[in-house]
Amino acid sequence: MAARFAVRIVLKCNPWDVLERAFSEPIFLPVALGGFDGTGKKHDHWLLAGYALEDYLARSFPVRTRMRGELLCVGAHVDERLYLETVARDISRRHRTPPQRSPFEHVESAARATFLRTHVLRESVLSDVRSFCRSHPFAAIDLTGTVALEVDDPGSYAWRLAFRELASAGDELGREAVPFLSMMTLRSPEQPESILVVVWSESSVWLREPGALGGRVGPRAADENLARLGAFVRAVARGADDVQLHVPAESPAFAERERLDDALLRS
């Protein structure tokens, strides 16, 4: 099973304020952004931005056969917009093969990771995200990326562009790899003055045991990665009313839950 854990944060602010905090963190590399609002009576509303949305779509369409409703594709560059339009066209078809990997992403089996071929998601998309959230105040926004990873043996790999850790066989969503870091924002209908933020990971790069990325992440690198993740969580959670760590008992991360708690909530 993936090394799942999540930090649940409750904030009184706007969703785009949290996203702006994430984008402004120098250790965070934003890659893909997806938004969905299904509260309307007539249409679902979608927002897609970035270069590697396949994991978001795999999680969003486990039982759906096609996307319904209105779709907004946001991109600053021609290649990005062409990719988004291709993704939108493919997932709007009635019979769709679940996507595995972006054309901007390649697998390095020896490194046990995937790497991006192109640059990351630009902060300029946030103006469109802000407009989307204002029009759809109960939309869920997913942001996927990575922190600047520390490895004991970097080799010749461009670790600043590492995006997903290769998954073990039998991933429940059929994914070949899982992102290093994801974040979701959602406004609660019961508490519209607050938003729920969930920062979560299914990667083992934060854990001391076992060594992730083909053994390239030992205890020292794992501690540094977790410290960087903790800095990111604290920046996102600034002014929070409530912050909690959740680690499923069946997750490999459960054995290190006290270490995770200390780094993510108490530092």
Side-chain angles (χ1 to χ4, degrees), residues 31-50:
V31 174
L33 188 148
F36 171 71
D37 178 19
T39 59
K41 294 182 179 180
K42 295 184 178 180
H43 295 290
D44 292 342
H45 300 272
W46 296 84
L47 170 71
L48 300 178

Side-chain angles (χ1 to χ4, degrees), residues 1 18 43-44 94 115 124 170 180 182 214 236 242 251:
M1 177 183 176
V18 177
H43 295 290
D44 292 342
R94 184 172 299 277
F115 294 79
S124 57
F180 290 114
S182 299
V236 169
D242 184 53
S251 168

Side-chain angles (χ1 to χ4, degrees), residues 71-82:
L71 174 65
L72 174 65
C73 292
V74 178
H77 297 94
V78 173
D79 57 354
E80 183 181 2
R81 294 194 65 84
L82 289 174

